[in-house]
Amino acid sequence: MITIDWANFTPWSSLAGGALIGLAASLLVICNGRIAGISGVIGSLLDGVREGRGERALFVLGVLLAPLLWGLVTLLPRIEFQTGWLGLLVAGLLVGIGTRYGSGCTSGHGVCGLSRLSARSLVATLAFMASGFATVHVIRHLLGA
Amino acid sequence: MRKLIAFFAGLIFGIGLLLAGMANPAKVLGFLDLAGAWDPSLALVMGGAIAVALLPFAWARRQSRSLLGAPMQLPQKRELDRRLILGSLVFGIGWGIAGICPGPGVAILLTGHWQAMLFVAAMLAGMLLFTALERQRNH
């Protein structure tokens, strides 16, 4: 039985934000022939891949500067953390190593991969969604943290 | 020109994440919590993104060069191997612990929250660890 959290449901802004993400991914593939996958882009920068380094760095810079541009126009949306330092540390490590072994994250597999109808990306997306749901279930409802 | 496009694509991507609610870890966890009060918003983020990107990617798949003459660099792998599945499962566990995936981590890095800095630092360490393990494996 699923209870919808109507108070926090934001269909229009989420749909519009998603459309912008899709637009950014489309721009990058149509004009530059590249996948807008954040973990892949950062991983290649870390590994010192020379080909396309400038483009990758500028893409990441754009994402980094987005909240500053937003802040010039209006108040930033709420950013609320529910995890302590140890949880953040472990989460970051798992996300870093997992996305590199799995060749992608929510953007590379979830947006770009599904948009190009990749079976690998569908499997990856189902896997990280399933373990994401399971992890929150264990933490909130079995451990009660 | 390609660098300019890459910068603006990043900017639009980041604005999209903020507008969508993806940059708020509490909201992401609300989406991942099916048994609690479930906030389905983030399903619409992915839906909206794919709806927009479907046709451009269908075009891109049939090209060998981009509009600006760059080689079309789409992933060529087809195997559904253990690395893909285990890696993605591990990523999902991390995502479920903190409610942050790589894009939003970068998008909130400069908003002055120490939590974002710690998460991204750990994420970069995880990625470097992967590279080190791969180098050792291929030795």
Side-chain angles (χ1 to χ4, degrees):
Chain A
M1 202 51 204
I2 287 180
T3 322
I4 304 275
D5 181 5
W6 293 109
N8 286 313
F9 186 42
T10 52
W12 299 113
S13 58
S14 287
L15 209 52
L20 284 180
I21 294 168
L23 174 68
S26 302
L27 257 179
L28 205 64
V29 79
I30 286 183
C31 296
N32 295 16
R34 287 184 195 282
I35 294 288
I38 300 283
S39 60
V41 168
I42 294 180
S44 299
L45 284 172
L46 283 179
D47 288 353
V49 177
R50 295 183 68 93
E51 190 277 329
R53 186 155 57 180
E55 281 175 57
R56 286 198 186 87
L58 281 161
F59 179 75
V60 172
L61 184 68
V63 182
L64 276 172
L65 294 183
L68 308 183
L69 177 71
W70 181 297
L72 291 179
V73 181
T74 179
L75 272 179
L76 272 181
R78 199 163 60 110
I79 300 173
E80 185 195 340
F81 298 87
Q82 297 182 332
T83 315
W85 70 268
L86 187 59
L88 287 162
L89 189 70
V90 172
L93 278 170
L94 295 178
V95 168
I97 198 158
T99 51
R100 294 301 281 149
Y101 269 108
S103 318
C105 57
T106 345
S107 50
H109 281 312
V111 174
C112 298
L114 292 188
S115 295
R116 60 186 186 88
L117 313 176
S118 151
R120 260 175 72 83
S121 290
L122 178 62
V123 167
T125 304
L126 290 175
F128 66 68
M129 296 285 281
S131 67
F133 283 126
T135 301
V136 171
H137 190 83
V138 169
I139 292 176
R140 287 198 175 171
H141 303 290
L142 299 183
L143 302 175
Chain B
M1 187 61 189
R2 259 142 55 187
K3 289 189 172 151
L4 200 64
I5 295 278
F7 176 71
F8 277 106
L11 211 50
I12 296 170
F13 193 96
I15 299 281
L17 286 172
L18 291 166
L19 179 63
M22 285 293 293
N24 183 3
K27 189 168 181 70
V28 174
L29 292 175
F31 168 71
L32 290 176
D33 186 9
L34 283 174
W38 189 49
D39 175 1
S41 310
L42 299 192
L44 295 172
V45 181
M46 205 176 259
I50 294 172
V52 169
L54 208 51
L55 283 180
F57 273 94
W59 177 84
R61 283 201 303 166
R62 280 183 270 110
Q63 313 297 318
S64 58
R65 299 240 147 218
S66 77
L67 216 55
L68 297 177
M72 193 57 77
Q73 302 189 44
L74 298 178
Q76 299 301 326
K77 266 196 216 164
R78 292 284 177 273
E79 316 90 286
L80 304 175
D81 50 6
R82 209 172 55 173
R83 290 163 68 94
L84 176 80
I85 295 168
L86 286 182
S88 299
L89 287 173
V90 168
F91 159 43
I93 296 172
W95 193 33
I97 293 175
I100 313 171
C101 53
V106 175
I108 59 175
L109 188 60
L110 300 184
T111 57
H113 293 93
W114 64 266
Q115 292 97 330
M117 295 179 205
L118 174 61
F119 174 87
V120 171
M123 179 180 87
L124 297 179
M127 289 180 169
L128 288 170
L129 183 64
F130 161 82
T131 305
L133 291 172
E134 283 297 281
R135 287 217 173 110
Q136 207 167 40
R137 206 173 78 116
N138 296 329
H139 236 5

